[in-house]
Amino acid sequence: MSIPSRVHLIDVGPRDGLQNEKTPVPAAVKIELVHRLQQAGLKEIEVTSYVSPKWVPQMADNHEVMEGVARQAGVAYSVLTPNLKGYEAAVLDKPDEIVVFGSASEAFSQKNINCSIAESIERFAPVVEAALAAGIAVRGAMSCTVGCPYEGDIAPQQVAYLAGLMKGIGVQRVDVADTIGVGTPRKVQRAIEATLQHFGIDAISGHFHDTYGQALSNTLAALELGVWNYQASVAGLGGCPYAKGATGNVATEDVVFMLHGMGIETGIDLDKLVDAGAYISDYLGRKPNSRVAVAVLNKRAG
């Protein structure tokens, strides 16, 4: 399959990127980050999650953030909902899409949510049913599709099993996520090929972490299979608590720079994207975790 001429990017920085930050980030800062991302041309933004503040205190302001965002026409705003209670809270804020999640690793599922993969999907079934009935789109995040901190390498058959379960409860599209960033190009391609047993290429997105510096290589490998949807995090926000030294999500700036260099359209203004990353990085008191962003900012400084 030929490499796509246009790529759709979902920025997960406001949710996946900030959720592990120890320093509380005010709702106003999160709202401004969303505004800067959409001004940069992002057409889909993962804004927040509706989880217990006991477990993820950073997302306790979900309602305030969703209510405060000045929505733009043509931009989709997604949220993560771990259960029916979370969905019932989320639906009041009118998200365009909800995200449910499952792991391709049985050990990861058991250690993190205390149930099997099949049981986790059963929990999500009523959430998906309710969302679809309300006209809300549903995406399924498939974690640990190439490697697990407990099991090691994940076989493609395990990915196909999870994808089949997701399809069975009505999930409309899925993310193939290298959660701990241990994937390499051929392993990522095998995980995507396994997912293709249940979902078409238009319903698959790549979600790569850069723990071992492989995220851009893995993105290219997915492009070669025709995948044209990807998730990334502005300024490289986010980390993985399960891998020592993990640098977390691939930076949106780095992905955009690579794609534009390949002649692939994204609809994103790289300079404005760098500004968005610099904004949140300045608040957090550090440089953006993006080589492209740092290079652009250094060039501006002269």
Side-chain angles (χ1 to χ4, degrees):
M1 186 175 290
S2 61
I3 288 179
S5 61
R6 186 175 181 86
V7 157
H8 177 78
L9 290 175
I10 304 169
D11 198 291
V12 299
R15 198 283 299 177
D16 194 18
L18 292 178
Q19 69 175 4
N20 288 326
E21 289 291 333
K22 297 295 186 283
T23 303
V25 179
V29 174
K30 296 174 184 174
I31 292 166
E32 177 63 17
L33 176 59
V34 172
H35 288 166
R36 287 175 179 249
L37 289 172
Q38 60 191 24
Q39 288 163 10
L42 269 298
K43 295 302 181 185
E44 189 164 353
I45 302 168
E46 194 171 285
V47 180
T48 188
S49 64
Y50 291 77
V51 297
S52 169
K54 175 183 177 181
W55 300 113
V56 188
Q58 190 69 261
M59 298 289 113
D61 58 2
N62 44 41
H63 174 70
E64 184 180 357
V65 171
M66 285 293 284
E67 191 175 51
V69 170
R71 301 192 184 190
Q72 284 187 359
V75 178
Y77 305 87
S78 58
V79 301
L80 184 128
T81 56
N83 49 42
L84 196 56
K85 182 178 180 181
Y87 167 77
E88 289 170 348
V91 74
L92 300 176
D93 293 326
K94 297 179 172 57
D96 296 297
E97 182 178 60
I98 62 147
V99 183
V100 296
F101 55 88
S103 174
S105 161
E106 285 287 359
F108 192 92
S109 185
Q110 290 287 356
K111 288 181 178 291
N112 287 276
I113 54 177
N114 300 311
C115 67
S116 69
I117 295 171
E119 288 169 340
S120 71
I121 297 299
E122 288 178 8
R123 293 180 185 178
F124 285 124
V127 177
V128 175
E129 181 181 9
L132 295 177
I136 301 172
V138 179
R139 189 171 88 240
M142 303 198 305
S143 64
C144 295
T145 61
V146 290
C148 167
Y150 311 112
E151 291 184 22
D153 287 347
I154 297 298
Q157 295 93 317
Q158 293 173 254
V159 181
Y161 171 65
L162 175 59
L165 291 176
M166 290 269 188
K167 187 72 171 181
I169 62 171
V171 170
Q172 296 167 307
R173 58 175 181 158
V174 290
D175 314 328
V176 178
D178 178 16
T179 307
I180 60 172
V182 296
T184 50
R186 189 66 192 104
K187 290 180 180 180
V188 164
Q189 287 183 335
R190 285 196 287 265
I192 292 169
E193 288 164 351
T195 307
L196 283 167
Q197 295 177 30
H198 300 282
F199 289 89
I201 199 71
D202 293 345
I204 294 175
S205 62
H207 181 119
F208 306 126
H209 285 236
D210 207 30
T211 310
Y212 291 92
Q214 298 296 297
L216 291 179
S217 298
N218 293 336
T219 300
L220 179 57
L223 283 166
E224 290 174 344
L225 292 182
V227 175
W228 56 277
N229 287 285
Y230 295 91
Q231 291 157 15
S233 181
V234 66
L237 291 175
C240 182
Y242 309 108
K244 186 177 180 179
T247 54
N249 297 293
V250 65
T252 312
E253 298 94 321
D254 294 353
V255 176
V256 169
F257 181 83
M258 183 187 80
L259 294 173
H260 288 182
M262 295 173 66
I264 297 173
E265 296 179 18
T266 66
I268 295 171
D269 184 317
L270 181 58
D271 283 326
K272 290 183 179 180
L273 181 63
V274 168
D275 290 341
Y279 166 76
I280 190 62
S281 297
D282 286 346
Y283 179 82
L284 296 171
R286 57 176 183 257
K287 289 183 178 180
N289 189 21
S290 158
R291 290 185 178 182
V292 167
V294 171
V296 169
L297 293 170
N298 286 342
K299 186 177 180 180
R300 288 180 185 174

